[in-house]
């Protein structure tokens, strides 16, 4: 098979490295890709959001499948455009991608189908939103832009002043553009967070190994929110009992609800969950693989990924027995100093071999480019360093040991990835591995 992957970050690199293991794959392509990806797939310069451009190269290359990884092309309808040309595509169509593309849609879906989530109100008028906040007077309050906002559309306000400023900046100053025309104000939930990525063909849902993201820029969960500074899998808070509850009250009801709304979801459905005192609740849905969750989840997969993608597209997922390694994985993100604010690019990276790798770990390139056979930084998140081991503690030791061998000017990474998971008493309990 010839497969084209759309996207150019660490998640796409992890998908490509896993596909590269398949004996069924002859040729891998990626657009736009990055320096590290170019060692495993032929890269093109078509942007991930350029629907016509991607359809065109998919036709030119006569690929057997296109894997659309990022949220924006999915929400814009890239899968619909590919299918209209008779090209097989992995990922939800536009109607189904609304589960991430519109928070108002996803919250209303959960309310209609009784799927546990935070209580909320929707506003299309900033004055009414501010009036509501004044009357409600409960803090922290969570304010979310309706549409996509590069993962920055959620503001947790500690008091009325902050909440009011959030509403004004999203709705009046339009810091997220049209994505902020409507907002959701919801109740603040407490508890450990778990990410569960699931394969689904719309009828069957198959959860992957659970994971834990670390979204804040600095140690001890301080600093600004980022796209993710590291991940571990499995997530020790996700016990068998919680997994069973999620399947019954969240996962199956969600795919049934989507089918019922004529928005059958086929692809990878990501559940951002919070384990509250009242049980697991949905914080957010994503219509795609998470980043950097994918960089710990896919390395633990033992089944051929292309067989799973085919089964999702052909709606035969129930025939497949997906296998996972009984191990733990840790991924440390090496970022540019200053990220998620301003940072420099074009800095030379030392410590990588000619394939952009290092022994003992897998290096997933997020923001790198190659010049004269050398790797240079080209983004905020630069590398994801993933290691596997029988124990989470040794996976973390291995990953951090690899991190210490790689360097670039002003490199920044968190030193405490996985500490919360290690400290969790629940680690003593049986971990879930499907
Ligand atoms: P999102 O962009 O939807 O992933 O949200 C970013 C982060 O905001 C989540 O990972 C949570 O940590 C936090 N968050 C979102 N909604 C809530 C909520 N209702 N209560 C508490 N924290 C939340
Ligand atoms: N790691 C969170 C996300 O991919 O949205």
């Amino acid at each position: 098979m010839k497969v084209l992957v759309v996207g150019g970050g660490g998640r796409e690199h992890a998908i490509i490295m896993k596909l590269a293991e398949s004996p069924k794959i002859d040729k891998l392509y990626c657009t736009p890709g990055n320096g590290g990806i170019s060692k495993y797939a032929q890269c093109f310069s078509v942007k991930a959001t350029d629907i016509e451009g991607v359809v065109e190269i998919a036709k030119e290359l006569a690929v057997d499948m296109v894997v659309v990884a990022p949220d924006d092309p999915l929400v814009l309808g890239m899968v619909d455009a590919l299918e209209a040309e008779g090209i097989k595509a992995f990922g939800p169509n536009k109607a189904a991608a609304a589960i991430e593309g519109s928070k108002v849609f996803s919250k209303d879906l959960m309310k209609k189908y009784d799927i546990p989530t935070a209580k909320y109100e929707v506003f299309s008028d900033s004055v009414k939103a501010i009036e509501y906040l004044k009357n409600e007077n409960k803090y922290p309050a969570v304010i979310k832009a309706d549409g996509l906002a590069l993962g920055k559309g959620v503001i947790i306000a500690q008091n009325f002043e902050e909440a009011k400023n959030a509403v004004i900046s999203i709705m009046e100053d339009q810091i997220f553009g049209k994505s902020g025309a409507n907002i959701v104000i919801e109740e603040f939930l407490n508890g450990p967070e778990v990410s569960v990525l699931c394969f689904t063909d719309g009828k069957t849902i198959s959860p992957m190994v659970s994971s834990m993201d670390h979204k804040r820029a600095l140690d001890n969960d301080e600093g600004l929110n980022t796209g993710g500074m590291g991940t571990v899998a499995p997530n020790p808070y996700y016990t068998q009992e919680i997994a069973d509850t999620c399947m019954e009250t969240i996962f199956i009801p969600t795919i049934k609800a989507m089918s019922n709304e004529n928005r059958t979801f086929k692809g990878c459905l990501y559940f951002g969950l919070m384990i509250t005192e009242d049980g697991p609740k949905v914080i957010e849905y994503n219509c795609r693989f998470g980043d950097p969750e994918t960089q710990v989840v896919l390395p633990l997969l033992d089944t051929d990924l292309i067989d799973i993608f085919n089964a999702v597209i052909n709606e035969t997922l129930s025939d497949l027995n997906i296998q996972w390694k009984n191990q733990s994985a840790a991924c440390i993100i090496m970022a540019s100093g200053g990220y998620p604010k301003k940072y420099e690019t074009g800095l030379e990276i030392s410590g990588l071999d000619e394939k952009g790798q290092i022994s003992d770990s897998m290096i997933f390139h997020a923001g790198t480019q190659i010049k004269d056979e050398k790797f240079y930084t080209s983004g905020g998140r630069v590398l994801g360093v993933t290691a596997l081991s029988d124990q989470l503690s040794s996976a973390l030791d291995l990953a951090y040991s690899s991190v210490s061998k790689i360097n670039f000017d002003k490199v920044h990474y968190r030193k405490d990835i996985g500490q919360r998971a290690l400290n969790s008493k629940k680690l003593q309990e049986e971990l879930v591995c499907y």
Side-chain angles (χ1 to χ4, degrees):
M1 286 183 72
K2 292 196 280 184
V3 178
L4 168 67
V5 176
V6 177
R11 162 185 54 204
E12 288 76 13
H13 198 180
I15 293 171
I16 282 167
M17 299 263 274
K18 187 44 83 174
L19 288 174
E21 290 174 13
S22 171
K24 294 174 183 144
I25 303 238
D26 309 309
K27 187 82 189 154
L28 285 164
Y29 303 105
C30 187
T31 194
N34 63 39
I37 291 176
S38 72
K39 296 289 180 181
Y40 295 84
Q42 188 182 337
C43 293
F44 296 85
S45 57
V46 178
K47 277 199 196 133
T49 45
D50 179 355
I51 294 186
E52 276 174 27
V54 167
V55 170
E56 208 170 293
I57 58 165
K59 278 206 261 182
E60 243 167 60
L61 297 167
V63 294
D64 300 291
M65 188 190 294
V66 179
V67 179
V68 184
D71 48 6
D72 23 12
L74 290 166
V75 171
L76 289 170
M78 186 175 280
V79 167
D80 310 59
L82 288 161
E83 284 176 348
E85 294 290 333
I87 302 161
K88 258 187 165 183
F90 178 85
N93 61 18
K94 187 176 179 172
I99 201 163
E100 175 170 4
S102 167
K103 295 228 192 292
V104 173
F105 168 76
S106 69
K107 294 297 289 190
D108 288 348
L109 184 88
M110 287 186 267
K111 188 188 258 178
K112 181 170 172 186
Y113 292 92
D114 233 349
I115 297 166
T117 188
K119 288 198 194 81
Y120 72 104
E121 294 288 335
V122 175
F123 296 92
S124 55
D125 179 312
S126 60
V127 177
K128 288 202 176 124
I130 292 167
E131 205 176 278
Y132 168 83
L133 284 164
K134 208 180 253 169
N135 294 335
E136 198 71 359
N137 202 28
K138 259 201 226 143
Y139 296 95
V142 184
I143 295 150
K144 301 185 171 184
D146 176 36
L148 296 181
L150 297 169
K152 295 180 186 140
V154 176
I155 296 172
I156 299 180
Q158 301 298 337
N159 52 49
F160 175 69
E161 208 51 34
E162 279 182 28
K164 184 179 154 191
N165 289 339
V167 170
I168 290 171
S169 54
I170 298 175
M171 301 190 86
E172 294 178 15
D173 303 341
Q174 303 184 352
I175 53 168
F176 304 123
K178 281 193 195 130
S179 287
N182 295 300
I183 60 164
V184 170
I185 300 183
E186 69 178 30
E187 111 192 86
F188 180 80
L189 298 178
N190 245 318
E193 284 186 55
V194 180
S195 307
V196 183
L197 285 58
C198 298
F199 294 112
T200 177
D201 60 3
K203 298 181 290 193
T204 300
I205 186 154
S206 178
M208 304 181 211
V209 175
S210 62
S211 53
M212 183 193 283
D213 195 1
H214 297 69
K215 288 202 166 93
R216 300 295 198 99
L218 307 175
D219 286 7
N220 302 315
D221 292 326
E222 286 170 10
L224 294 170
N225 251 324
T226 70
M229 294 300 294
T231 37
V232 297
N235 184 324
Y237 291 101
Y238 195 66
T239 60
Q240 184 63 57
E241 192 190 344
I242 289 170
D244 292 344
T245 306
C246 288
M247 186 54 106
E248 195 185 319
T249 64
I250 296 174
F251 303 161
I252 292 173
T254 299
I255 60 160
K256 279 193 179 157
M258 290 299 278
S259 291
N260 212 37
E261 297 290 316
N262 286 322
R263 293 173 187 265
T264 299
F265 191 101
K266 292 170 67 172
C268 171
L269 182 53
Y270 167 130
F271 295 84
L273 305 168
M274 198 165 272
I275 315 301
T276 73
E277 279 180 356
D278 303 328
K281 294 189 180 179
V282 178
I283 287 278
E284 62 159 348
Y285 291 115
N286 289 330
C287 65
R288 51 166 174 91
F289 285 97
D291 189 336
E293 285 90 343
T294 308
Q295 291 91 309
V296 284
V297 169
L298 286 188
L300 293 170
L301 176 65
D302 254 348
T303 302
D304 191 331
L305 185 57
I306 200 70
D307 288 344
I308 304 175
F309 286 172
N310 269 318
V312 166
I313 294 169
N314 300 333
E315 299 179 20
T316 55
L317 195 58
S318 63
D319 298 344
L320 217 55
N321 184 9
I322 299 174
Q323 299 292 324
W324 298 93
K325 293 184 208 306
N326 195 11
Q327 285 188 303
S328 286
C331 174
I332 318 300
I333 298 293
M334 300 182 76
S336 301
Y339 172 78
K341 286 194 161 167
K342 246 182 103 175
Y343 54 83
E344 256 179 82
T345 57
L347 304 167
E348 189 177 340
I349 305 168
S350 64
L352 300 175
D353 66 19
E354 70 283 0
K355 289 209 95 177
Q357 297 295 314
I358 195 165
S359 54
D360 295 336
S361 294
M362 279 164 278
I363 311 296
F364 300 120
H365 291 230
T368 70
Q369 54 186 325
I370 299 183
K371 260 187 271 160
D372 303 327
E373 290 309 303
K374 285 185 185 152
F375 291 96
Y376 293 86
T377 65
S378 68
R381 288 189 294 174
V382 177
L383 301 169
V385 179
T386 295
L388 306 188
S389 189
D390 291 342
Q391 301 290 333
L392 177 59
S393 55
S394 40
L396 284 161
D397 288 347
L398 259 175
Y400 273 113
S401 148
S402 296
V403 164
S404 71
K405 294 174 191 150
I406 303 168
N407 198 27
F408 49 88
D409 199 18
K410 303 191 186 74
V411 60
H412 165 66
Y413 57 89
R414 276 181 60 165
K415 316 284 185 300
D416 67 339
I417 299 300
Q419 284 311 308
R420 203 154 16 99
L422 281 178
N423 293 340
S424 151
K425 286 195 200 97
K426 300 245 171 83
L427 199 60
Q428 315 309 326
E429 297 175 25
E430 199 191 334
L431 300 184
V432 177
C433 251
Y434 285 89

